[in-house]
Amino acid sequence: MSVGLLAVVDDILTAALKASAKTAGVVIDDAAVTPQYVQGLTPARELHVVWRIALGSLFNKFVIIIPLALLLSAFAPVVLPFLLILGGTYLCFEGAEKVTEWFGVHHAAADTEVRDEGKLIFGAIRTDLILSTEIMLIALASLDPDFGIWMTLGALVVIGLGMTLLVYGAVALLVKIDDIGLSMMKNSARQVRRTGARIVAAMPTVFKVISVIGTVAMLWVGGHLVITNLAETFWHGPYDVLHAVTHAVEGAGPVVVWITDTAMSAVFGIVLGLIVVGIVLGISRLLKRNQPETVAH
């Protein structure tokens, strides 16, 4: 009995690990996005806020996302590819919006109000709901459909717990590492003080690099999600182009194939994202233009 139970646990862990690998892009993005919510808070409140966001993330996964995902996969599996297309499009939009901001296009007004902790946590949990939905749906789509409901549930639980620990553990480290550096700068040993100063000086660059990696990951994952799930629904064109190009470079080895696939997915993602950004900006400007007329009447 114990041997059989160990075999089941091993199957669940193996399946969860394989499925988790395909969520890497969204996980990187999640870890890159979250630190912005604690910037500007007092150091004493940072870990508390990260902890509350992590609890909210667990609520999102285990109370909302996993039950709905299992219900849809059992009773309306045809809906899942469309949800993945919508989610992928949203990731492309977010990624393209960040890219345009690099070139001076600002999409939101500057935040001049005092940062309210409750609002920050709510906003972070809301963003996490979108990213966690992507993580869990990608994981679900990666699991063997013949796995069975309880094995699937077990794998999703493992993935949900693992990803939450990974993301928010990394976030907690990122937001506190500058405090560690400041503490080291007060040490009596000269070499320790220098190391602490280097850590503090490097953190702005570290956050910029993480932001760039997160943006590229969003475009790559979002583009790949849309391409793959469009092929499963109603349009094979982008997938056929991607397949033809990756097939043409197969002789160069799996690394080149992966780079090609990733680059083409990211290019598709940025193009789709820029289209959506253009539509959103157009609608926003139209609404702002009509607003004074509405007030006048």
Side-chain angles (χ1 to χ4, degrees), residues 167-189:
V167 168
Y168 291 99
V171 169
L173 178 62
L174 284 170
V175 300
K176 297 307 291 182
I177 198 166
D178 55 343
D179 292 339
I180 295 171
L182 287 171
S183 178
M184 292 172 66
M185 289 172 66
K186 299 174 183 177
N187 195 284
S188 58

Side-chain angles (χ1 to χ4, degrees), residues 128-290:
D128 174 89
L129 177 62
I130 297 168
L131 294 171
S132 290
T133 298
E134 289 305 297
I135 289 170
M136 301 313 294
L137 287 180
I138 293 169
L140 179 61
S142 304
L143 293 172
D144 188 341
D146 298 324
F147 214 29
I149 183 68
W150 295 112
M151 297 277 281
T152 300
L153 176 60
L156 291 178
V157 167
V158 170
I159 292 166
L161 283 172
M163 291 304 169
T164 304
L165 287 172
L166 177 64
V167 168
Y168 291 99
V171 169
L173 178 62
L174 284 170
V175 300
K176 297 307 291 182
I177 198 166
D178 55 343
D179 292 339
I180 295 171
L182 287 171
S183 178
M184 292 172 66
M185 289 172 66
K186 299 174 183 177
N187 195 284
S188 58
R190 185 178 180 184
Q191 190 60 41
V192 174
R193 292 199 304 272
R194 284 185 174 181
T195 302
R198 290 192 188 103
I199 290 172
V200 172
M203 287 315 295
T205 302
V206 169
F207 278 110
K208 286 180 182 178
V209 171
I210 290 173
S211 177
V212 171
I213 292 172
T215 300
V216 173
M218 271 197 291
L219 294 170
W220 154 44
V221 174
H224 194 77
L225 276 175
V226 175
I227 290 171
T228 303
N229 288 280
L230 277 176
E232 291 186 14
T233 51
F234 56 88
W235 189 26
H236 285 263
Y239 180 82
D240 291 341
V241 172
L242 179 65
H243 179 72
V245 174
T246 53
H247 180 71
V249 298
E250 275 182 348
V255 174
V256 174
V257 171
W258 182 84
I259 291 173
T260 303
D261 185 296
T262 300
M264 291 187 66
S265 296
V267 169
F268 180 89
I270 187 67
V271 171
L272 174 61
L274 287 173
I275 292 171
V276 178
V277 167
I279 293 170
V280 170
L281 283 176
I283 292 173
S284 177
R285 287 173 182 171
L286 185 63
L287 290 174
K288 285 181 180 178
R289 190 181 303 168
N290 293 333

Side-chain angles (χ1 to χ4, degrees), residues 10-90:
D10 182 64
D11 288 343
I12 289 174
L13 292 176
T14 301
L17 185 61
K18 289 180 179 178
S20 298
K22 298 195 176 182
T23 69
V26 189
V27 172
I28 292 170
D29 178 55
D30 204 354
V33 167
T34 306
Q36 70 180 334
Y37 290 99
V38 297
Q39 289 178 2
L41 296 177
T42 58
R45 301 299 297 168
E46 289 174 341
L47 289 182
H48 173 75
V49 169
V50 172
W51 170 247
R52 288 185 62 185
I53 297 170
L55 290 178
S57 178
L58 289 173
F59 180 89
N60 286 340
K61 291 180 177 76
F62 295 125
V63 178
I64 301 173
I65 300 168
I66 291 178
L68 286 176
L70 290 175
L71 283 172
L72 285 174
S73 64
F75 300 105
V78 70
V79 175
L80 290 176
F82 291 97
L83 290 178
L84 288 167
I85 290 171
L86 287 174
T89 301
Y90 177 81

